[in-house]
Amino acid sequence: MFTLISKRLIQLLPTVFFVSVIIFSLQHLLPGDPAMIMAGEDNDPAVIAQIRAQYHLDQPIPVQYLFWIKGVLSGNLGESMRLKVAVSELVTTKLPVTLQLAVMAMIIALVIGVGLGILSAVYKGRALDSLVNVLGLIGISTPNFWLGIMLIFLFSVELGWLPASGYVSPFEDFWQSMRTTIMPAFVLGNAIAGVLMRHTRGAMLQALSSDYVRTARAKGLLERVVVIKHAMRNALTPVITLGALEFGTLLSGAVLTEQIFTIPGFGKLIVDAVFNRDYAVVQGVVLVTASTYILLNLLADIGYILVNPRLRD
Amino acid sequence: MTPNWKTLLLTGCLVASAGLFGMGAASAQTNFKIGLAEDPDVLDPSLARSYVGRIVFASLCDKLFDIDDKLNIVPQLALSSTVSADGKEMVIKLRPDVKFHDGEPMDAEAVRFSLDRHLNMPGSFRKPELGAVSEIVVVDPLTVKLVLKSPFSPLLAQLTDRAGMIVSPKAAKEAGDKFGQKPVCAGPFKFVERIQQDRIVLEKFADYWNKANIHFDKVTFTPIADSTVRLANLRSGQLDLIERTPATDIKEIKANPKLRLSSVVSLAYTGITMNIANKEAGKTGLGLDPRVRQALNFAIDRSAINEVVFNGEFMPGNQWINPENPYYQKSFPVTGRDVNKAKELLKAAGVKTPLAIDFMVPNNPEARSVAEVIQSMAAEAGFDFKIRVTEFATSLTQAEQGNYQAYLLNWSGRTDPDGNSYSFHACGQPLNYTGYCNKDVDALLAEARSKNGVAERKPVYEKITKIMQEEGGVLYLYHSKVLVAHSDKLDGYKQLADGLIRLTGAKLK
């Protein structure tokens, strides 16, 4: 087992290396000169030259890469050109925000998506099934920015129940934190719920028509027990895989939703950085996100191995 | 599920909703909440470059001088300034008994330190602004003398912005290049905390020299990029004031009895920068002949652009300063549209119509709308404007490289006319994307820098304006308005043309 994990970890090294090269190269394909953006409206040549020298932008791209990767290997992701703050500090302050939003969105998505998916399968062909299908379709096809703005108008402007935007940490004020994040979490969760609902419905229909469910019913078990204990457990495996994938996407930051609700997470950080050509921030955030993905993948692999001994060979 | 479970669940939901919806964020009235259009960059007066950062600085860092509503330069941390007869020395008398937020005295030595820091700190953006200064001399604790390389009248205007901000030498020495993370100045509010992209909090400075006119205990700046959401926050009472309101929201704000709009014509202008000598593209299209550029001028109806895109709220203009500015040359008024004249000019220039023009336009809704109106008006005269929407950062690089024929560009504007003209029209200057170069214009621009006061400088600018109207590379279109929306409870707030938010004298009713 230890050897296997070590082998997988070693295999990760070239992956991370290639990811770092791709991140760096793709960013330099972006048109627009970061030094010009940084120099501001006045476009002074002396200032531009000074910025180029300070951030090694006057060096060939492979040399710039070496400067960056040398820093990364020693735990230094660089400094934001625009904010003059260490990228690692930005990452560590934004990650918990994005994480909180992702967890809340996933809870909402699972409760709505899985719940409605099961109901829809159980009541297949009836009015409730059609209603849930329509709801799922609406969830999938509603654009996040539209739903976000509509929620703000309803709950903040008209009813005055929730803050229109902003963020408060749960460690600072738990209820206030919930009030600021419930709308963006719902917007994010809503889209995922639609997808989860359709997958749950499909998987449940398959499970409900299988032999073991027929046997369970023949034994005279209550329908509720058949659905929850027998069918649902088996049907949820592909749903969990899908949920995990969606969760990974949420962790990389929900750009539009964070922008609308002014949530200071990864999405907003990276958008601002791209528009300002703040290379170090873009590189740092994408590297952290990509590494998280790779690590989650590894953990999933290890999880499979632990669950299924046949994979150990 | 038993009834007990249901009861429990219901109770839980009620408790949760009471928590979520009931506990309103009732904050003290004296916490004034401002919605910004962007997140500011570093809060160090030497290293900062963004416009939005200046809005925060207006509450945080006082300057040697400021401007008033008539664009006159008035003292702030200074009491007065005198320029020597040869224009090469400026003596500044300072306000006595002024303290920094850390309790240190704001004196001549602090001014010398700050100006020296602006000039010599690595990465300082203030160096070009103070480039005319060769030496800073402390005459006595409340007097500083600036020795100039050559007479430079725009210097005083530079000292009304970040170049004139004085920082605490003690704090700046201790923090080094991290000063921007906890700036210490001598403004009405002192720095409390900043959470990047979330909020900047300042609190009233008890020892501020003008504390009697400061009526808020705290100021919170929240960056909200989306203008609809910014307005929703103002309507819901979460914010007290929002800056850079789009012109399209004016109607809604005016219709809301709880909101007020403060507006004034800004220092900014929007114009078509035309490539006349910047690499190969300058040899074609609008660069072919000055008459082609004059034809474009007659093809465009500036009032129509204003009506169609901005609900008539902005001000049409044809110079680098707006028609209300004391330097505006009334002898060159805004011309009306004359399609026949435009066609004649194109014919006289020997241009084959339709004349295709590559029109680079920054990617934002307002710029795109303006470009479409120009396209349709110019088409009637014989131009074929091909709109190329380009992301802003990319457009700047392309403009510098001469990869355009026409470029719709906005300039935020400066208090002194030199800031709106020199860098755009003098040979080889950084903002001269047109490639225009005329030694006579250069000499006149230099002459305007060496003279003092409107009466002396205006005739020089008149000569420059005449040449630029005939052959220049920028077709000025309109001047936007500073649009600041706020709660009707805000009293005593005065909006100035630079768009900054000055809280001195303002209070919540």
Side-chain angles (χ1 to χ4, degrees):
Chain A
M1 184 72 182
F2 178 76
T3 327
L4 193 82
I5 293 172
S6 313
K7 221 165 101 185
R8 291 304 306 269
L9 276 172
I10 292 163
Q11 281 172 351
L12 282 186
L13 290 177
T15 316
V16 175
F17 170 72
F18 282 117
V19 164
S20 75
V21 172
I22 290 166
I23 294 165
F24 197 86
S25 321
L26 280 182
Q27 174 160 264
H28 284 81
L29 288 178
L30 272 177
D33 180 351
M36 257 181 95
I37 306 292
M38 286 298 127
E41 263 192 339
D42 293 300
N43 198 27
D44 189 81
V47 172
I48 292 175
Q50 199 275 328
I51 295 169
R52 288 208 175 109
Q54 189 179 352
Y55 293 100
H56 311 295
L57 296 168
D58 50 356
Q59 305 280 340
I61 289 178
V63 179
Q64 290 184 42
Y65 175 77
L66 287 178
F67 272 114
W68 176 59
I69 205 73
K70 196 178 141 199
V72 172
L73 291 174
S74 57
N76 175 13
L77 289 173
E79 183 193 72
S80 159
M81 283 196 270
R82 197 173 81 89
L83 302 165
K84 310 281 174 204
V85 175
V87 175
S88 50
E89 190 186 321
L90 288 172
V91 168
T92 46
T93 49
K94 306 296 168 194
L95 189 60
V97 180
T98 298
L99 196 66
Q100 182 190 347
L101 201 60
V103 169
M104 285 176 68
M106 269 326 283
I107 292 172
I108 291 170
L110 285 170
V111 169
I112 300 176
V114 175
L116 290 183
I118 293 169
L119 275 180
S120 173
V122 171
Y123 293 95
K124 191 195 163 205
R126 293 198 227 165
L128 186 66
D129 181 27
S130 310
L131 181 73
V132 169
N133 270 308
V134 170
L135 283 178
L137 206 62
I138 292 173
I140 294 169
S141 52
T142 311
N144 280 4
F145 67 89
W146 181 83
L147 182 64
I149 287 177
M150 288 302 119
L151 288 178
I152 289 175
F153 276 111
L154 179 63
F155 289 106
S156 308
V157 179
E158 296 303 324
L159 300 172
W161 290 353
L162 293 169
S165 57
Y167 174 77
V168 174
S169 162
F171 301 106
E172 206 177 304
D173 182 339
F174 183 78
W175 281 115
Q176 192 60 16
S177 181
M178 291 298 116
R179 294 177 81 237
T180 54
T181 44
I182 191 75
M183 282 199 289
F186 178 78
V187 168
L188 288 172
N190 169 65
I192 301 171
V195 181
L196 284 182
M197 191 282 284
R198 294 186 78 89
H199 275 80
T200 310
R201 182 178 181 274
M204 276 297 284
L205 283 177
Q206 207 181 352
L208 286 171
S209 61
S210 57
D211 291 343
Y212 68 87
V213 168
R214 204 171 26 246
T215 312
R217 279 184 179 139
K219 280 199 311 190
L221 289 178
L222 284 172
E223 186 62 16
R224 198 180 67 205
V225 178
V226 173
V227 170
I228 294 173
K229 250 189 148 179
H230 295 264
M232 195 177 86
R233 284 206 174 164
N234 285 300
L236 280 188
T237 320
V239 175
I240 288 168
T241 315
L242 183 75
L245 281 174
E246 295 284 359
F247 187 69
T249 313
L250 283 176
L251 278 186
S252 62
V255 174
L256 271 177
T257 312
E258 287 185 8
Q259 198 78 7
I260 290 167
F261 290 98
T262 324
I263 301 287
F266 266 9
K268 202 163 177 324
L269 180 68
I270 205 155
V271 167
D272 283 1
V274 168
F275 282 128
N276 288 289
R277 302 292 188 276
D278 202 343
Y279 281 0
V281 176
V282 180
Q283 284 159 195
V285 174
V286 178
L287 186 71
V288 169
T289 314
S291 305
T292 313
Y293 254 101
I294 293 169
L295 271 178
L296 282 175
N297 235 331
L298 176 73
L299 288 177
D301 282 356
I302 294 170
Y304 287 144
I305 294 165
L306 287 175
V307 173
N308 191 344
R310 279 177 296 180
L311 291 171
R312 288 178 198 171
D313 301 326
Chain B
M1 201 178 271
T2 63
N4 282 346
W5 273 104
K6 282 182 186 167
T7 315
L8 271 175
L9 189 66
L10 189 65
T11 316
C13 287
L14 283 172
V15 170
S17 52
L20 280 174
F21 301 120
M23 289 169 59
S27 50
Q29 266 212 331
T30 50
N31 179 9
F32 193 69
K33 291 156 286 179
I34 298 172
L36 302 172
E38 306 152 72
D39 190 34
D41 59 343
V42 62
L43 293 176
D44 181 325
S46 297
L47 302 176
R49 60 167 189 98
S50 69
Y51 169 75
V52 68
R54 290 170 62 202
I55 295 177
V56 178
F57 280 131
S59 293
L60 187 64
C61 297
D62 270 10
K63 305 155 287 190
L64 286 172
F65 300 92
D66 200 3
I67 56 166
D68 67 9
D69 52 352
K70 301 271 183 280
L71 295 182
N72 297 312
I73 294 174
V74 292
Q76 196 171 46
L77 290 177
L79 278 181
S80 66
S81 71
T82 45
V83 179
S84 63
D86 64 356
K88 292 180 80 172
E89 281 184 4
M90 181 190 279
V91 175
I92 301 171
K93 291 270 179 199
L94 299 173
R95 190 177 292 280
D97 306 320
V98 176
K99 280 184 183 168
F100 289 111
H101 299 151
D102 59 358
E104 293 287 305
M106 197 294 298
D107 55 14
E109 178 49 35
V111 173
R112 189 204 61 74
F113 173 87
S114 295
L115 298 186
D116 191 58
R117 186 174 185 268
H118 287 325
L119 276 167
N120 298 313
M121 182 182 189
S124 168
F125 289 115
R126 307 288 85 81
K127 198 174 176 175
E129 294 165 13
L130 296 174
V133 178
S134 64
E135 199 186 348
I136 305 146
V137 183
V138 174
V139 178
D140 64 50
L142 289 175
T143 313
V144 185
K145 183 167 76 180
L146 307 185
V147 183
L148 312 186
K149 291 169 190 161
S150 56
F152 186 70
S153 54
L155 179 65
L156 201 59
Q158 300 286 22
L159 297 176
T160 65
D161 199 349
R162 287 162 297 194
M165 286 176 193
I166 307 303
V167 301
S168 159
K170 187 176 167 228
K173 279 177 200 161
E174 280 170 10
D177 64 351
K178 302 285 177 230
F179 179 77
Q181 292 179 22
K182 201 177 182 244
V184 181
C185 295
F189 296 90
K190 62 180 180 180
F191 183 84
V192 176
E193 66 163 345
R194 174 177 192 178
I195 297 170
Q196 306 289 351
Q197 297 167 317
D198 187 30
R199 60 181 183 261
I200 295 169
V201 183
L202 312 180
E203 69 179 8
K204 188 176 174 178
F205 175 41
D207 291 331
Y208 182 52
W209 63 271
N210 191 16
K211 63 184 172 207
N213 286 312
I214 302 299
H215 307 292
F216 304 114
D217 295 324
K218 255 167 102 178
V219 185
T220 306
F221 296 90
T222 309
I224 302 175
D226 191 293
S227 60
T228 314
V229 179
R230 217 158 52 241
L231 181 57
N233 272 274
L234 181 69
R235 287 176 58 189
S236 69
Q238 261 210 288
L239 291 175
D240 299 307
L241 181 148
I242 56 172
E243 56 115 4
R244 276 180 277 176
T245 308
T248 40
D249 285 344
I250 292 175
K251 211 171 153 189
E252 187 185 337
I253 294 163
K254 285 184 175 168
N256 189 325
K258 287 183 177 172
L259 303 182
R260 295 285 178 274
L261 190 73
S262 290
S263 73
V264 61
V265 180
S266 75
L267 299 171
Y269 71 73
T270 298
I272 305 175
T273 297
M274 301 175 279
N275 189 348
I276 47 183
N278 189 354
K279 313 245 169 57
E280 288 306 304
K283 294 175 186 160
T284 58
L286 297 158
L288 285 169
D289 191 301
R291 283 170 293 189
V292 181
R293 303 195 283 280
Q294 289 166 15
L296 181 61
N297 177 41
F298 282 110
I300 288 170
D301 184 343
R302 292 169 170 86
S303 300
I305 297 175
N306 186 31
E307 289 298 329
V308 172
V309 187
F310 305 110
N311 301 330
E313 292 289 339
F314 286 2
M315 181 177 273
N318 63 336
Q319 296 172 27
W320 49 78
I321 44 211
N322 69 52
E324 288 177 356
N325 191 293
Y327 282 96
Y328 185 78
Q329 307 293 339
K330 291 201 170 82
S331 46
F332 299 98
V334 178
T335 47
R337 188 174 189 231
D338 188 339
V339 179
N340 288 332
K341 198 163 182 180
K343 283 179 178 169
E344 279 169 27
L345 282 162
L346 281 178
K347 201 175 169 188
V351 171
K352 197 181 157 206
T353 54
L355 179 65
I357 302 287
D358 169 34
F359 191 20
M360 184 162 70
V361 178
N363 189 13
N364 69 68
E366 281 186 354
R368 285 199 303 269
S369 303
V370 171
E372 282 160 13
V373 177
I374 290 170
Q375 184 184 43
S376 82
M377 288 194 288
E380 283 181 48
F383 291 96
D384 178 16
F385 269 72
K386 296 185 188 302
I387 296 172
R388 176 161 57 92
V389 177
T390 311
E391 186 252 348
F392 183 64
T394 312
S395 73
L396 285 177
T397 310
Q398 299 222 344
E400 187 165 82
Q401 291 168 348
N403 292 330
Y404 76 101
Q405 286 180 308
Y407 177 28
L408 190 69
L409 185 61
N410 176 65
W411 174 247
S412 66
R414 299 289 181 267
T415 319
D416 193 278
D418 182 80
N420 292 0
S421 53
Y422 191 88
S423 191
F424 296 88
H425 303 304
C427 301
Q429 284 301 302
L431 296 170
N432 188 346
Y433 300 135
T434 66
Y436 178 77
C437 184
N438 180 338
K439 294 294 172 199
D440 293 339
V441 171
D442 279 14
L444 287 166
L445 285 166
E447 191 187 339
R449 283 184 159 189
S450 67
K451 295 195 168 182
N452 286 300
V454 180
E456 270 188 47
R457 296 170 81 198
K458 197 171 173 177
V460 184
Y461 279 118
E462 187 176 4
K463 291 179 196 166
I464 304 170
T465 307
K466 185 174 185 301
I467 301 172
M468 299 316 291
Q469 296 273 322
E470 284 165 6
E471 61 176 45
V474 181
L475 187 69
Y476 301 95
L477 296 173
Y478 60 85
H479 304 275
S480 58
K481 266 188 186 169
V482 176
L483 295 169
V484 167
H486 52 79
S487 149
D488 66 329
K489 294 193 183 86
L490 182 64
D491 194 28
Y493 178 73
K494 198 187 266 182
Q495 187 57 57
L496 304 193
D498 58 5
L500 304 192
I501 296 159
R502 292 169 174 83
L503 296 176
T504 304
K507 59 174 105 171
L508 284 171
K509 284 185 273 189

